Amino acid sequence: MNVPRPHIEFIQQQSLPWRSGIVPVDGVVTRILSRDEASGAVTMINRYPADTAIEQAYALDIDKEFIVLRGELRINEVSYTKGDYAYMPAGFERRKTIVPEACDVLTFYEGSTDLPPGELVERIRTNEVEWGEASDPNVASASIHRHVLRPDTAIGERTWLLRLDTDEPYEIRGVERHPCVEEMYLLDGDIHMVTGVMTAGAYFWRPALVPHGPTGSKSGFTALFRAIEGAFETEWSDLAESVPWDAPYDPVLPSTESS
């Protein structure tokens, strides 16, 4: 029996095996971070060897989002290098894809859905964006910045970057939850949680209404977030707990059968 994507909190992608044959392109290997057996949606890191080329035009029947973690990828003559983001809706034609430099690409594939595809976001160079402030007054700070990569869809789904700049330990002592799925990949820095210390490459898939917090960071961070299956809102508890600095790794992981 297929089940929706399970709770993952958290994994370091570096600990996962590379698998071949997931992407039907010679030489490409994949680390699967999470997947939904019911819809087919999946989050993965694809590693493309240098000089990979797909000369034949094609289009997917599902939406695809990605951000380049290293190297260079070119699609339809558009170059994507480290930090570049794109959202390509179902039906978007890829006329030619080449890989001048070996690259790792964090990729989000949407599964089967009745929702219409969103608007194309051809490329955002996240290393050059203007950062705004966090919208939640409970975490509003001169040190916290946000940049929306993909605006709200018809049901409120959204993709954004969150950045914390700090020279000393920073903590958010509240416990929070959200009415939608929250997905995160840590691009750099550190985040301290009850389940351990996340470093670059950390990933979680958190189902709706799962309480979490408090959290903190010693060096700051940059992370990519996605709100899935609804609009992102935050409900705060009245608790104000201390951040569990340097807590031992104690993850929430799916069983082998559902991973």
Side-chain angles (χ1 to χ4, degrees), residues 30-73:
T30 299
R31 282 176 170 159
I32 296 177
L33 302 181
S34 68
R35 61 183 168 192
D36 189 318
E37 298 290 351
S39 72
V42 61
T43 300
M44 59 176 62
I45 296 174
N46 292 324
R47 171 166 286 180
Y48 298 83
D51 301 322
T52 298
I54 305 173
E55 303 285 352
Q56 184 176 358
Y58 71 98
L60 299 177
D61 60 1
I62 55 175
D63 299 350
K64 174 182 177 179
E65 280 181 272
F66 69 81
I67 187 167
V68 177
L69 302 178
R70 72 175 183 100
E72 182 185 8
L73 174 73

Side-chain angles (χ1 to χ4, degrees), residues 178-199:
H178 314 290
C180 63
V181 171
E182 183 182 25
E183 184 177 24
M184 189 222 70
Y185 184 90
L186 189 61
L187 296 167
D188 61 52
D190 67 272
I191 299 177
H192 293 244
M193 305 170 59
V194 173
T195 49
V197 182
M198 296 192 290
T199 58

Side-chain angles (χ1 to χ4, degrees), residues 99-137:
V99 180
E101 179 186 345
C103 64
D104 292 350
V105 184
L106 174 62
T107 308
F108 309 90
Y109 292 100
E110 184 58 80
S112 58
T113 176
D114 296 328
L115 297 173
E119 295 292 327
L120 171 69
V121 180
E122 188 170 47
R123 182 183 64 193
I124 296 176
R125 294 198 179 281
T126 67
N127 297 325
E128 301 174 0
V129 299
E130 294 184 6
W131 292 84
E133 297 180 355
S135 58
D136 190 328

